[in-house]
Amino acid sequence: MEISGIIAYLVSLAIMAGIFAVFALGLNIQWGYTGLFNIGIAGFFCIGAYTSAMITTPMPTGLYAQYVHQIFGLNLPFIFGLLGAALVCGFIAYLIGYPTLQLREDYLAIATIGIAETFRLIFNNEHWLANGPRGLMGLPQPLQGLIEARHYNYIYLVVVLAIMVVIYLAIERVIRSPWGRVLRAIREDEVASAMTGKDIFRFKMQSLIFGSMIMGVGGALYAHYTKAISPDVFTPLYGTFIIWVMLMAGGSGNNKGAVLGAFVIWGIWIGTKFLTDLLPYTLKARAPYIRFLIIGILLEIILIYRPQGLMGEEKRISKMID
Amino acid sequence: MPELIVYGIVLGSIIALGAIGLTLVYGILRFANFAHGDLMTAGAYVALFLVTGLFPWLGIPDTTFGSLSFGWRMAFAFPIAMACVAAASILFDRILYRPLRMKRSGSVILAISALGASFIIRMIVLILWGGDYHFYRPGVLRPAIELPLEIKIRPDQILILATVLCLVALLYLFLQRTKMGKAMRATADNMELARVSGIDTERVIIWTWGIGGALAAAGGILYGIDVQLHPGMGWHFLLPLFAATILGGIGNMYGALVGALIMGVAQQVSTAYLLPTYKPAVAFIVMILILLVRPQGIFGGGRA
């Protein structure tokens, strides 16, 4: 492989890692700072991707309409797709949070699994909604035409990293505010924070919605990168589990850790592909399972031997103390 | 409709085997074991290995019992697979959960570890058997018995119900009559108090995993006999399992049994109106409704 090929490969790797970093940042708000147990990230991934897809593509017409069904197609620019994805995911988060956030923490986890599975089933079976298992294709990409089509990934990498940095800075800002300190207080001791007069339910709800909106943006970024989405992408493995491993590896409660974890774990995930390529031909078909097995074992090792992750939580977050 | 209700009771009794184990683990170890569905998968596939791999090689004949779809091979495989999964559950506890328990990690960390374990089990199944559907006995016609009200039921399904009844009765006797059963109930009630009364809680935990794993394996095998085997079957059982557990009140074994039957009937009856693939979603919706109306479950408990 010549050098330009290697660079192109690294760029595509960095785009995916950047998209996963957005998810890890969203999860970090919920789990890292508030202690909310969301294991239905795949659901927000899916809803974000589909919402943005349907906002940015036109309604199919003519012969095409016989093969592709979608409930709406607004043909709006990319930025509206991102915003729409965030808003819809925030609304879904509200619907899940309402019955579960007042109960014990694992009920939220079960409810988020449920919503992720339910939406995957709906998108898979309801052909009128978003073309069923075949999914949607031909999603537009932002800033096309600035550069030769075969080099387009460079532009998209800039887009993804820019959005990732904006989200990173936004979270850093709010987590250092009084609001952010309340979240951490809730995570550490709910009863004590309730006794100081904080409305626990409201703060948890805001955290859940904020994190889920970021996940929605992540879903949209993914959809416009691959340009085609179908329900089979948003599985619990690929859509939820790997993101948890990323956050645990990087260090929950640390935004730099979330980003680092995303890049490291995505690197390991891709790296294991080179390893399984060495397997004999008969085992090739099952190589992805071996790779996921490695990721699963990695999570268990992190939980037992290095629960704080690579970076651990930053203890001092106020600029006033030094 | 009466037929769907009967099928629902069959499905519900299979769910019950998983849900009872889940609620025991939940009540005693205080964390959501997201790997419980995959313990069912593990049991089903261990039995598959015995029935289609090891036993033919040992020369155990492939005869069937009367009009049932299985014979001696399954009769031997059933308890062996239960024991294997019980041992595996205890092993998982020693390797994964016990170190976390010793460090006094939060229940959510344990649940994440269980989530990791569930993926590890599923990946091992996928590596060994691949992603296709499997049957214990492919291509066997299973004649149905006609009951009144136009209910057609297969002999297998009657045996499934009988097996579940036996296992639940055995568990009831164990929990009520034996010393270990009483220790388990005491530990579920209050672990600290149990420990200061001289109960070896680590032994109780080993028994809990053993029973939970064995029952899950039984559930998985029975589902395999009734329908088919698939690496994702345990994951699809996860929502009904938790729904049944919450419905019955966490830690309440009899509640879980009733919850599981309700969940089974709800899922089967829904197929009259919805695509069968929506079954997990039906369990989820029912669960959300319960959480909204009665988060402590139908039998009180109040530990929600």
Side-chain angles (χ1 to χ4, degrees):
Chain A
M1 199 165 24
E2 54 180 311
I3 196 83
S4 66
I6 294 173
I7 291 175
Y9 186 75
L10 288 177
V11 166
S12 70
L13 216 149
I15 291 174
M16 280 308 291
I19 294 171
F20 274 111
V22 170
F23 282 107
L25 285 168
L27 182 62
N28 197 24
I29 296 177
Q30 296 175 344
W31 166 246
Y33 292 117
T34 327
L36 299 177
F37 193 14
N38 174 2
I39 42 175
I41 305 168
F44 298 104
F45 195 161
C46 174
I47 296 162
Y50 270 101
T51 307
S52 186
M54 288 194 276
I55 287 175
T56 53
T57 50
M59 200 67 187
T61 48
L63 192 62
Y64 195 53
Q66 291 182 344
Y67 299 99
V68 177
H69 304 275
Q70 62 187 69
I71 187 166
F72 64 89
L74 301 178
N75 205 12
L76 288 170
F78 174 70
I79 186 78
F80 289 97
L82 289 187
L83 292 175
L87 287 176
V88 173
C89 281
F91 178 65
I92 302 281
Y94 173 78
L95 293 182
I96 305 174
Y98 185 75
T100 54
L101 282 180
Q102 276 164 327
L103 308 170
R104 36 189 284 177
E105 53 214 343
D106 28 15
Y107 282 18
L108 175 70
I110 300 158
T112 48
I113 294 186
I115 208 84
E117 286 297 292
T118 305
F119 273 101
R120 195 158 58 91
L121 289 174
I122 291 174
F123 279 113
N124 217 351
N125 291 302
E126 304 302 324
H127 289 251
W128 52 267
L129 183 65
N131 210 27
R134 274 175 301 169
L136 300 172
M137 280 177 291
L139 273 55
Q141 293 184 307
L143 305 173
Q144 241 170 352
L146 278 184
I147 192 168
E148 254 186 280
R150 66 194 173 95
H151 294 309
Y152 175 74
N153 274 358
Y154 292 99
I155 300 251
Y156 203 73
L157 178 64
V158 174
V159 171
V160 167
L161 292 183
I163 291 171
M164 186 190 86
V165 169
V166 168
I167 290 172
Y168 171 83
L169 293 175
I171 300 175
E172 284 283 298
R173 181 92 183 79
V174 297
I175 225 62
R176 283 166 164 71
S177 72
W179 184 79
R181 284 198 288 278
V182 176
L183 294 190
R184 289 161 46 118
I186 291 173
R187 184 194 64 189
E188 293 304 323
D189 193 333
E190 248 186 78
V191 180
S193 358
M195 278 170 67
T196 56
K198 304 298 177 196
D199 186 345
I200 307 290
F201 179 71
R202 243 186 72 202
F203 278 99
K204 279 186 171 180
M205 182 64 98
Q206 287 164 352
S207 164
L208 182 71
I209 293 175
F210 185 28
S212 303
M213 287 173 80
I214 292 172
M215 291 171 185
V217 171
L221 286 174
Y222 174 84
H224 291 277
Y225 173 53
T226 57
K227 292 190 282 184
I229 50 170
S230 60
D232 55 354
V233 178
F234 310 104
T235 56
L237 267 177
Y238 193 71
T240 299
F241 187 61
I242 202 163
I243 296 162
W244 266 97
V245 181
M246 285 166 174
L247 184 60
M248 300 308 277
S252 39
N254 185 327
N255 288 318
K256 286 190 198 76
V259 174
L260 178 72
F263 278 81
V264 168
I265 296 296
W266 190 252
I268 292 176
W269 170 245
I270 296 297
T272 55
K273 189 173 185 311
F274 290 103
L275 269 180
T276 52
D277 280 348
L278 304 174
L279 286 173
Y281 182 74
T282 46
L283 279 171
K284 280 264 167 66
R286 290 175 188 180
Y289 311 138
I290 298 171
R291 295 167 66 202
F292 265 119
L293 182 65
I294 294 170
I295 298 284
I297 293 169
L298 187 64
L299 173 73
E300 303 291 0
I301 292 172
I302 293 168
L303 285 177
I304 294 173
Y305 296 105
R306 202 173 165 82
Q308 74 274 34
L310 286 171
M311 302 195 75
E313 185 174 357
E314 287 175 273
K315 283 295 167 212
R316 200 180 293 166
I317 56 160
S318 173
K319 278 184 204 145
M320 303 300 167
I321 315 165
D322 200 51
Chain B
M1 189 57 85
E3 189 172 66
L4 284 178
I5 292 172
V6 171
Y7 292 166
I9 291 169
V10 174
L11 179 65
S13 68
I14 292 170
I15 294 172
L17 290 180
I20 289 170
L22 180 66
T23 210
L24 282 177
V25 172
Y26 221 144
I28 287 173
L29 288 118
R30 301 287 152 86
F31 76 92
N33 179 24
F34 290 113
H36 214 82
D38 289 277
L39 292 178
M40 295 174 80
T41 316
Y45 276 86
V46 170
L48 180 73
F49 164 71
L50 295 172
V51 167
T52 61
L54 187 67
F55 290 168
W57 183 73
L58 287 178
I60 296 175
D62 187 25
T63 49
T64 57
F65 298 145
S67 53
L68 295 171
S69 73
F70 54 87
W72 284 114
R73 284 182 183 174
M74 182 49 90
F76 290 128
F78 194 76
I80 295 174
M82 279 174 74
C84 285
V85 176
S89 306
I90 295 167
L91 194 70
F92 267 105
D93 183 67
R94 296 281 105 171
I95 298 174
L96 300 180
Y97 309 135
R98 192 160 177 268
L100 296 175
R101 207 158 54 231
M102 293 297 133
K103 284 197 289 185
R104 300 202 163 266
S105 303
S107 69
V108 177
I109 295 292
L110 278 153
I112 294 170
S113 180
L115 189 69
S118 85
F119 283 106
I120 289 175
I121 296 172
R122 203 170 326 147
M123 288 309 125
I124 292 172
V125 168
L126 280 163
I127 291 166
L128 295 177
W129 284 279
D132 295 331
Y133 289 93
H134 284 281
F135 299 90
Y136 288 124
R137 265 182 80 91
V140 182
L141 269 182
R142 294 177 287 189
I145 304 168
E146 297 242 12
L147 297 178
L149 292 169
E150 292 178 48
I151 299 169
K152 285 196 200 70
I153 188 164
R154 281 177 278 116
D156 284 2
Q157 292 174 312
I158 295 170
L159 193 90
I160 287 169
L161 283 173
T163 311
V164 173
L165 269 177
C166 283
L167 288 172
V168 171
L170 280 175
L171 182 65
Y172 174 81
L173 288 176
F174 173 79
L175 286 177
Q176 298 295 331
R177 298 289 163 81
T178 65
K179 211 165 181 182
M180 181 45 75
K182 284 174 189 162
M184 276 177 77
R185 287 189 292 140
T187 311
D189 208 44
N190 188 328
M191 186 178 279
E192 294 304 317
L193 209 56
R195 198 176 289 138
V196 294
S197 334
I199 292 173
D200 182 353
T201 47
E202 278 298 313
R203 263 193 72 207
V204 169
I205 288 171
I206 290 177
W207 274 88
T208 308
W209 280 114
I211 294 171
L215 289 179
I221 299 168
L222 293 179
Y223 184 76
I225 291 173
D226 189 28
V227 189
Q228 65 204 0
L229 289 87
H230 186 259
M233 61 191 261
W235 180 256
H236 289 297
F237 265 119
L238 202 59
L239 282 175
L241 288 186
F242 273 99
T245 304
I246 290 171
L247 187 60
I250 287 171
N252 183 339
M253 189 191 112
Y254 313 108
L257 181 64
V258 176
L261 289 175
I262 295 175
M263 217 42 72
V265 171
Q267 287 193 317
Q268 287 294 12
V269 169
S270 76
T271 57
Y273 312 99
L274 289 168
L275 288 171
T277 48
Y278 278 126
K279 278 185 197 172
V282 171
F284 170 65
I285 302 291
V286 174
M287 188 183 76
I288 288 291
L289 293 178
I290 303 161
L291 287 181
L292 279 171
V293 184
R294 236 187 119 71
Q296 70 274 43
I298 41 176
F299 297 112
R303 217 190 282 144

